[in-house]
Every structure is written in structure tokens, then in C-alpha cells.
Amino acid sequence: RVPLLLVRGGLSGVVSDEDVAELRRRQPGLHAERVEGAGHSVQGDRPLELAALLREFLEEPDTAGRIPA
């Protein structure tokens, strides 16, 4: 019942499309984002894109105030 954001790098093979589908099955409210041009270390490869995704997620009405800043 808690908001969940999955961010994965488009160049990484660590989390597959099947993994995302299974997580979505278990957590229907999942917010899943893929960052193109990033490997497994999205924060190292595309930090500005990650920051924008986090900001957007935390500002959504259904997630705002439910995750400690």
C-alpha cells in the first residue's frame, strides 16, 4: 500500500521486463521508469534525469507526504 518507484537503466540487464511485470503483478500501483543511456548505476550515469523522476514521483498527489524526504 505504499508508493513504489522503480527506476532502471535502459542499458542494464539486471532488471528485465519480466521482472517489472512480476513486480507490477505484486504491486499494482508500481511506478516504473526506464532511463535510457544509463546502466545499472542510474545515479552515476544520469543523475539529473534521476533527480527529475524522484521529484516528480514525490510531488504526485498519491505519493506526496507518504515518503520521508
Side-chain angles (χ1 to χ4, degrees), residues 2 10-13 24-25 27-28 31 38-39 45-46 58 66-67:
V2 297
L11 301 175
S12 176
R24 190 175 306 282
R25 184 186 70 76
Q27 179 84 20
H31 299 261
D45 296 337
R46 295 284 193 255
L58 292 171
R66 296 168 99 187
I67 299 175

Side-chain angles (χ1 to χ4, degrees), residues 6 16-28 30:
L6 170 68
S16 69
D17 291 340
E18 292 80 15
D19 294 330
V20 175
E22 176 62 17
L23 183 55
R24 190 175 306 282
R25 184 186 70 76
R26 295 177 185 215
Q27 179 84 20
L30 172 69

Side-chain angles (χ1 to χ4, degrees), residues 1-57:
R1 294 188 185 142
V2 297
L4 178 62
L5 173 65
L6 170 68
V7 178
R8 64 183 178 140
L11 301 175
S12 176
V14 174
V15 178
S16 69
D17 291 340
E18 292 80 15
D19 294 330
V20 175
E22 176 62 17
L23 183 55
R24 190 175 306 282
R25 184 186 70 76
R26 295 177 185 215
Q27 179 84 20
L30 172 69
H31 299 261
E33 299 289 345
R34 184 179 184 131
V35 178
E36 296 306 324
H40 183 63
S41 175
V42 177
Q43 73 277 9
D45 296 337
R46 295 284 193 255
L48 297 178
E49 290 87 340
L50 177 60
L53 288 170
L54 291 171
R55 187 176 303 110
E56 180 181 318
F57 178 73

